[in-house]
Structure formats: structure tokens, C-alpha cells
């Protein structure tokens, strides 16, 4: 039986007395025990620099379950500190625990910051601080409010890389006979980590104070990501002009300036060689192998606006990196000169695994697919293949690049291959779901998401089309199905009036006649039938992957649903009945709580390293026309 040392069992009981004694003992106590002699800075009146990326590592929670630090960060603001439970230096480990406790008490009346903050206490004495010991250590501090986890590791061998990554020096103390005293020499350090897993402050004994930490936490909560101190901030995974909450009169814009859209190039070739948790080996055609030169050239072409008819439009303007390589801001895409495209821009994440491309599955290879948007009059608008090739030949910054990548100049084949190589490496896995199912980290997925997965593969039957395997999950059968969405769009009568929102909280009903005078008629769309001319294929569309689905709203081939909840509720009703409705579509009989659980599960499918791809995209040249 592991007995928790007396010092950690009594710490929770002694805290009130210690705190009340702080004014008397102030001369010997760290500043964190007493009131600040000055006012804390106003949150948001200053900026916190980016000090680096917070490292990952395998830890054990107080129930002995393995999980990764990054799974605990999971978009929250985190205070992360190292301690050992038998520390008797009042200005050492107990100080960190006291400050965490005071901070949590201060937030009891502020649910918004409390709900977005997580406290992590990790022992650097795994031999004595077992999960059971850490559970007992934390018992006195679990009274609701801020989420607080008490962690340890399996061994010193698993702990050491974490200590090194965070620059936390720890030395065991030994007596004259060379026996361990059970004490450690260390410098107290507490790390403030933002929602993008970046270290934003490091507190030592002299500055670790709950008032200062609280001001920093609230500053991060108010922060709109912009370059700080000349360093590029990690890019947000959302629309540049996020309209969330626009229906409220209290809406405030937080649009991101284009000059803040900077990033850091990544080694995409090396990244593509590494296995990705939850995904199979990357398929690469024998006649278009990946090379660094081809990926770099394809990346340049992808973001080059000069390759459209009027030199204003690139592939990336429909497949926006920070918006899941699709567009969160439009139901259907918009091409050059504002020309309407009748379908939603599909995500390019994990497009390498697909054998059917476009919503109607009309292409089978990325190398050929790229020419569709180049030549579509309502997308990039080029009149011919030769027109595109002549444009590339005329641009001096492309000189020698095709020869370096392919041994020959630009052509229909080499342009397609280069772009395909870049799109092929946009691989996204290692989501919380993957870490739970394939990484066997029991704490990586919330209880609600686990319930959602049970429904996904059981009662709701989602996995019949969005497949999940024993070793990996693509979340698509790469087939085409009629769910009734296309049928409903084709058959619905024009409503007598439509509600149009003009400003936050300001909407008007516009009658159909007035609307028709200013709006373009919605084009017809019969889906796969347009390719095969087979009546049985009417309104069939390719099953999209659900990976990163929380990033890729709006949903369906025509962007008709704005939220995941709307999608789940549509399927719960049994889709839209029609003569070609897929037999897999049926009413599901899900309760409101089960719908919530499914949405929670779908939200757990966001890749763990998407920021790397987005930051790399931000660093790419856009090729503005002159």
C-alpha cells in the first residue's frame, strides 16, 4: 500500500492557516502569499510574448490512466507547474499549490474565465508520487470551479524528456553516505500556456502571484492572434472575419488583418514521411513520387493569384488554410469577379486518400483534378491549358523551378503533378479521437464524446458510410449516396419571403419578387447523374471525410447546413425522402442528449498538427499580379 507523506496530506488543511499568517510572516514568505503592494495591470492593456511551443509528453492522471499533455491543453489556457509532494520549502512547491488555490478561489464568481482555464500539477518524483499519492494530494483542492489535474509519470525515464523540454532543472539531494534524502534541488517555475499550445509566460518565486497570473489569463482570453514582438503568432483555425454571434446586437468584430497573416515554412516532405496516428500509410502514385522540389513548386502554384484569367484568384481563395482548406464563410464558392459556383468547396485535408474527387466523383486523380478549377469559367476562368502554361512561362520567378523538380519545363502534366504533390501532403490525423482509440490514451476523449462514438458506430449507423477501422479511420467510404439534400434543393418551391440580415441584430423580410430582382437564380444540380446520365444516380454525392469536420462548416455539397447540430438533426429525421434515397438513410430516433453526444464526438476529430500546415501556408507567397 502506498502511503501519502504527511506533508502532502496536511497541506490542504494547513493552507487556510498559512494564508492567514502570511501578513505576519511576510518577511520570510514569497510575494505570492501576501497582497500585492501595487495594483495588478489591467487585463488586455499589454501583450504577452510568445516564448516557444509547449512540449508534449506521456503522463498519468490520478487514476493511473496514460494521456498526453497536449490532450490536456486541448485549446484551453493552462497553468502548468512541477512539484513533489514531500517538499517542505514553503517558498517552493507549496507556493505553487497555494497560488493555484488562491487563483481558483478568485475565479469562483467568474465562470467564463474559470471554464477556459485548466491547472496542471505534475510531480517530478514518480517513485513516491504514484497516481494514488497524487490523488490524495489533490483531494483537498477539488471543490469545483477551475479544472485541476494532479499528474505523475510511470518512471523517471518518461519524466526526463518532459523536464528537459520545459527547461526544468531538478537534482536529487544525497547525504554524506550517498543515500537519497528524498529531497530535490530545483527552481520553482510555472508555465502559462495559451490555447495554441504556446508558452506565454514563465513565473518564478519572485513573480508568482495570483493577481498577476489572473491578469495574464484574462489578457489571453481577450487576445486576437496577431504577430507579437516580431514573431509570427500561431495562426487561428477559423475564418478571418469570424461572424459567430452576428445575429446578436452585441456582436463585435474581431477580423484579422491581412498583414497579420504570417507564418513559418515547414518541411512538408519530411512531415509526409512520418506515420500519422489514425491514418494509413500515405498513398503516392509510382509515376508522381513526392520530392521536396515538387512539393515546394506545387505550394507556390497553389497560392499564386496570377494563374487565373485576371491574375486575382488562386486555389487557396476557395481552399483557405485556416478554414480547414475550405471556406467557412460561404455556403458555395465564389470564383473570379464574384462569379457564383454552385457547390461548396470541399476540404483538402487527407485528399490523398480519395479515389473519387469533386462532389460528383468525376475525377480519380489529383494530377488531373487540378485542371478543372483552372479552366472553369466561374472559378479561375482561364480559357485554355496553353493560356495557363504561357502565363507560367512568362513569370521570371518560375524560371528553373520546373526543370529542378521534373527535369523539364512547365506542361499540362508537370503542373498537375506539382500541385498534386502539395495537396497530397496536407495530411491531418492525431486527433483526440485517434489518441483515444489508436493511441490507447483513455483520458484523450471526453465521456460525452465516447458516448457519441458509441452512437456513431451503433444506433445512429453513421459508420456505415463514414468508415472506422481497427487500425485507422478515413471516415469515408469514398462512395456516392443520395441523402435527399440534393432532391430537396431541386424540388423545394421558392419561399414567399426570405429573412435577410443587414447588420448585427437587424433583419428584414424580403419578398420573393424583390429578392429575384437582385439575386441570381439557384442553378440546378443533379449530382452524379450529370456524369453518368443514369437516372438512378440523381442527387448522389460523394461521402465527405469527417476528419476536421468542426473546421469545415457549412456542410453538404451546397453548404445548406451551418452547424454540425443541423446535420445530425437532418439525419435524425431520416434525410429527405425521395425515390432514390439511399437505403442506409432512415429516422434514427436520437434524443436531444444523444444528438449532443454525437456533435461532441464529431468535434473530437480535429487533427493535432493542423497549425503546422496552416502556418506553412501563411508563409507561402501569394503571387500578386502587377
Amino acid at each position: 500500500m502506498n502511503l501519502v507523506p504527511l506533508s502532502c496530506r496536511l497541506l490542504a488543511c494547513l493552507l487556510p492557516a498559512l494564508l492567514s499568517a502570511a501578513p505576519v510572516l511576510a518577511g520570510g514568505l514569497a510575494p505570492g502569499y501576501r497582497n500585492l503592494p501595487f495594483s495588478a495591470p489591467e487585463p488586455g492593456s499589454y501583450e504577452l510574448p510568445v516564448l516557444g511551443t509547449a512540449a508534449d509528453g506521456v503522463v498519468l492522471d490520478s487514476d493511473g490512466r496514460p494521456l498526453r499533455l497536449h490532450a490536456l491543453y486541448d485549446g484551453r489556457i493552462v497553468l502548468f507547474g512541477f512539484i513533489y509532494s514531500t517538499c517542505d520549502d514553503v517558498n517552493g512547491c507549496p507556493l505553487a499549490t497555494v497560488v493555484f488555490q488562491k487563483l481558483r478561489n478568485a475565479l469562483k464568481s467568474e465562470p467564463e474565465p474559470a471554464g477556459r482555464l485548466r491547472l496542471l500539477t505534475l510531480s517530478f518524483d514518480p517513485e513516491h508520487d504514484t497516481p494514488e499519492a497524487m490523488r490524495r494530494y489533490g483531494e483537498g483542492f477539488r471543490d469545483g470551479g477551475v479544472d485541476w489535474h494532479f499528474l505523475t509519470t510511470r518512471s523517471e525515464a518518461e519524466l526526463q524528456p518532459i523536464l528537459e523540454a520545459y527547461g526544468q532543472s531538478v537534482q536529487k539531494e544525497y547525504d554524506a553516505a550517498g543515500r537519497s534524502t528524498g529531497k530535490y534541488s530545483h527552481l520553482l517555475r510555472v508555465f502559462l500556456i495559451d490555447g495554441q499550445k504556446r508558452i506565454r509566460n514563465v513565473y518564478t518565486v519572485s513573480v508568482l502571484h495570483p493577481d498577476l497570473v489572473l491578469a495574464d489569463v484574462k489578457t489571453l482570453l481577450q487576445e486576437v492572434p496577431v504577430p507579437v514582438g516580431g514573431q509570427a503568432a500561431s495562426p487561428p483555425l477559423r475564418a478571418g472575419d469570424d461572424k459567430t454571434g452576428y445575429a446578436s446586437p452585441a456582436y463585435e468584430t474581431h477580423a484579422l488583418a491581412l498583414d497579420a497573416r504570417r507564418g513559418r515554412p515547414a518541411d512538408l516532405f519530411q512531415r509526409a514521411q512520418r506515420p500519422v496516428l489514425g491514418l494509413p500509410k500515405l498513398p503516392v502514385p509510382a509515376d508522381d513520387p513526392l520530392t521536396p522540389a515538387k512539393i515546394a513548386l506545387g505550394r507556390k502554384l497553389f497560392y499564386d493569384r496570377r494563374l487565373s484569367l485576371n491574375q486575382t484568384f488562386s486555389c487557396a481563395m476557395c481552399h483557405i488554410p485556416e478554414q480547414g482548406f475550405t471556406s467557412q464563410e460561404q455556403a458555395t464558392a465564389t470564383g473570379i469577379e464574384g462569379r457564383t459556383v454552385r457547390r461548396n468547396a470541399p476540404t483538402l485535408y487527407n485528399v490523398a486518400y480519395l479515389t473519387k474527387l469533386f462532389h460528383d466523383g468525376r475525377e480519380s486523380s489529383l494530377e488531373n483534378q487540378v485542371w478543372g478549377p483552372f479552366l472553369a469559367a466561374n472559378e479561375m476562368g482561364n480559357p485554355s491549358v496553353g493560356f495557363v502554361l504561357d502565363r507560367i512561362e512568362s513569370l521570371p520567378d518560375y524560371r528553373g523551378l520546373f526543370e529542378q523538380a521534373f527535369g523539364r519545363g512547365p506542361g499540362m502534366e508537370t503542373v498537375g503533378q506539382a500541385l498534386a504533390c502539395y495537396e497530397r501532403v496536407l495530411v491531418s490525423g492525431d486527433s483526440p479521437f485517434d489518441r483515444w482509440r489508436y493511441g490507447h490514451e483513455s483520458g484523450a476523449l471526453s465521456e460525452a464524446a465516447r458516448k457519441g462514438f458509441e452512437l456513431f458506430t451503433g444506433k445512429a449507423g453513421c459508420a456505415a458510410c463514414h468508415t472506422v477501422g481497427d487500425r485507422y479511420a478515413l471516415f469515408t467510404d469514398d462512395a456516392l449516396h443520395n441523402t435527399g439534400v440534393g432532391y430537396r434543393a431541386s424540388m423545394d418551391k421558392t419561399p414567399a419571403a426570405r429573412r435577410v440580415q443587414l447588420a448585427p441584430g437587424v433583419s428584414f423580410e424580403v419578398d420573393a419578387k424583390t429578392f429575384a430582382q437582385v439575386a441570381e437564380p439557384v442553378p440546378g444540380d443533379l449530382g452524379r447523374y450529370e456524369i453518368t446520365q443514369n437516372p438512378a444516380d440523381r442527387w448522389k454525392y460523394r461521402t465527405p471525410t469527417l476528419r476536421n469536420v468542426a473546421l469545415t462548416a457549412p456542410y453538404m455539397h451546397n453548404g445548406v447546413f451551418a452547424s454540425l447540430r443541423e446535420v445530425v438533426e437532418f439525419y435524425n429525421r431520416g434525410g429527405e425522402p425521395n425515390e432514390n434515397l439511399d437505403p442506409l438513410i432512415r429516422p434514427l430516433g436520437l434524443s436531444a442528449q444523444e444528438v449532443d453526444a454525437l456533435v461532441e464526438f464529431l468535434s473530437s476529430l480535429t487533427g493535432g498538427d493542423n497549425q503546422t500546415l496552416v502556418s506553412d501556408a501563411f508563409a507561402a507567397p501569394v503571387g500578386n499580379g502587377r
Side-chain angles (χ1 to χ4, degrees), residues 66-77:
L67 64 162
R68 303 195 74 86
L69 283 173
H70 278 186
L72 286 167
Y73 297 164
D74 196 24
R76 302 230 194 171
I77 293 173

Side-chain angles (χ1 to χ4, degrees), residues 532-600:
T532 65
Q533 299 295 298
N534 182 348
D537 287 338
R538 285 174 294 168
W539 306 298
K540 282 187 177 181
Y541 300 92
R542 179 175 55 82
T543 305
T545 178
L546 297 182
R547 287 191 172 275
N548 299 292
V549 70
L551 303 177
T552 58
Y555 304 104
M556 304 300 187
H557 72 280
N558 55 358
V560 68
F561 297 132
S563 70
L564 283 173
R565 179 170 300 281
E566 290 179 61
V567 175
V568 175
E569 289 173 345
F570 170 78
Y571 284 117
N572 196 30
R573 294 190 298 270
E576 186 73 23
N578 67 88
E579 61 184 286
N580 287 338
L581 184 69
D582 195 288
L584 292 171
I585 307 298
R586 55 181 173 76
L588 304 178
L590 301 176
S591 68
Q593 292 76 20
E594 289 173 327
V595 170
D596 289 341
L598 261 177
V599 171
E600 180 78 8

Side-chain angles (χ1 to χ4, degrees), residues 12-324:
C13 300
L14 293 176
L15 271 177
L18 183 59
L19 295 176
S20 64
V24 178
L25 303 174
L29 292 178
Y33 287 109
R34 53 186 187 266
N35 294 330
L36 279 177
F38 53 86
S39 298
E42 183 69 23
S45 64
Y46 58 97
E47 294 179 343
L48 292 166
V50 177
L51 303 178
T53 301
D56 199 5
V58 178
V59 296
L60 301 177
D61 67 13
S62 55
D63 292 322
R65 295 175 299 190
L67 64 162
R68 303 195 74 86
L69 283 173
H70 278 186
L72 286 167
Y73 297 164
D74 196 24
R76 302 230 194 171
I77 293 173
V78 171
L79 275 174
F80 177 41
F82 296 91
I83 68 151
Y84 70 108
S85 66
T86 55
C87 180
D88 57 8
D89 179 3
V90 72
N91 289 332
C93 302
L95 170 63
T97 305
V98 167
V99 170
F100 278 25
Q101 173 77 339
K102 293 175 76 172
L103 179 65
R104 193 176 67 167
N105 288 341
L107 288 174
K108 283 184 176 178
S109 60
E110 300 186 58
E112 201 279 332
R116 296 178 62 184
L117 177 65
R118 176 169 282 161
L119 308 178
L120 301 182
T121 295
L122 175 61
S123 172
F124 50 74
D125 184 15
E127 181 180 353
H128 295 99
D129 289 342
T130 62
E132 171 67 11
M134 295 306 289
R135 184 184 66 79
R136 292 181 178 274
Y137 184 88
E139 279 178 349
F141 310 110
R142 300 193 178 188
D143 58 355
V146 177
D147 192 23
W148 193 348
H149 293 255
F150 294 85
L151 311 168
T152 187
T153 54
R154 292 189 185 93
S155 64
E156 291 185 5
E158 289 197 1
L159 172 69
Q160 194 58 39
I162 300 175
L163 294 176
E164 292 176 358
Y166 284 90
Q168 178 70 62
S169 176
V170 176
Q171 296 292 331
K172 286 185 178 180
E173 293 185 1
Y174 297 90
D175 61 19
R179 294 184 296 255
S180 172
T181 64
K183 295 184 178 182
Y184 292 80
S185 296
H186 70 98
L187 294 176
L188 181 67
R189 304 178 82 203
V190 172
F191 300 83
L192 177 65
I193 300 166
D194 67 17
Q196 286 78 49
K197 303 182 181 71
R198 302 173 297 174
I199 298 172
R200 303 300 293 275
N201 211 344
V202 182
Y203 307 99
T204 57
V205 172
S206 59
V207 295
L208 182 59
H209 192 284
D211 293 351
L212 298 177
V213 175
L214 183 57
D216 286 351
V217 168
K218 290 183 175 180
T219 293
L220 292 185
L221 290 174
Q222 296 178 25
E223 184 176 74
V224 176
V226 294
V228 178
Q231 296 294 320
S234 291
L237 298 177
R238 64 176 178 84
D241 188 11
D242 192 348
K243 292 294 196 301
T244 303
Y246 193 74
S248 168
Y251 169 81
E252 294 182 5
T253 182
H254 294 290
L256 302 181
L258 282 177
D259 60 4
R261 197 178 184 274
R262 300 172 186 164
R264 177 178 299 177
D267 189 337
L268 299 180
F269 177 76
Q270 287 299 325
R271 187 180 183 276
Q273 309 309 306
R274 298 193 294 266
V276 179
L277 187 64
L279 291 173
K281 183 179 179 181
L282 186 68
V284 178
D287 59 352
D288 191 17
L290 295 176
T291 68
K294 288 161 67 175
I295 294 170
L297 177 56
R299 174 176 173 268
K300 179 178 175 65
L301 292 165
F302 188 87
Y303 295 97
D304 198 334
R305 301 183 185 191
R306 298 169 298 179
L307 304 188
S308 64
L309 175 64
N310 60 5
Q311 304 191 52
T312 63
F313 209 84
S314 71
C315 306
M317 294 179 74
C318 284
H319 301 282
I320 304 168
E322 67 270 35
Q323 297 180 33

Side-chain angles (χ1 to χ4, degrees), residues 342-358:
R342 63 177 176 163
R343 292 177 182 167
N344 179 260
T347 180
L348 296 184
Y349 276 131
N350 299 323
V351 70
Y353 296 100
L354 300 179
T355 62
K356 296 180 179 65
L357 302 166
F358 294 108

